[in-house]
Amino acid sequence: MAALRPGDFGDEMMDGEGRAVDGSCWEIAGWRYRRNPVLRLTSEDWAMARLWGQYRGGGLGGVGHLPEAGGTGDQAAIMLDAFALMSEAVRPFEEKDRS
């Protein structure tokens, strides 16, 4: 089951245990999940996703807001690495949306 946005993980697509009603699995970056992976996210995960979304400039491909004051060189390398990994993980979905 392909999903990119929070609405793509709608309750109508899952049974009471978070499994897809059509029997499929969720696949993210080559990993398959029998239970909806959004159910595994913590408040810290959601905060990171919000920071990444702001950094992406609303998904327009440019750099939006940086988490810390200053420029790119003032950011924690681990944070910028995490943003790069997150961007790479959604690239196939975005390419599919464009075609």
Side-chain angles (χ1 to χ4, degrees):
M1 180 172 293
L4 176 59
R5 297 169 191 84
D8 295 340
F9 294 103
D11 290 340
E12 70 280 357
M13 298 169 62
M14 298 181 293
D15 65 17
E17 296 181 12
R19 298 183 194 285
V21 294
D22 65 2
S24 63
C25 294
W26 282 268
E27 186 172 333
I28 301 174
W31 292 81
R32 294 179 59 111
Y33 299 89
R34 293 172 76 51
R35 289 188 66 236
N36 188 332
V38 79
L39 300 174
R40 301 170 66 136
L41 299 178
T42 66
S43 60
E44 290 86 3
D45 297 326
W46 286 109
M48 183 65 180
R50 281 191 297 278
L51 284 173
W52 172 64
Q54 292 169 348
Y55 169 78
R56 294 186 78 205
L60 300 176
V63 174
H65 300 283
L66 295 168
E68 300 293 333
T72 304
D74 297 311
Q75 307 305 304
I78 195 166
M79 181 69 79
L80 295 180
D81 286 349
F83 287 164
L85 287 171
M86 294 165 78
S87 295
E88 191 60 35
V90 299
R91 191 174 324 280
F93 295 100
E94 294 171 335
E95 290 170 357
K96 187 175 183 180
D97 281 350
R98 283 193 289 265
S99 27

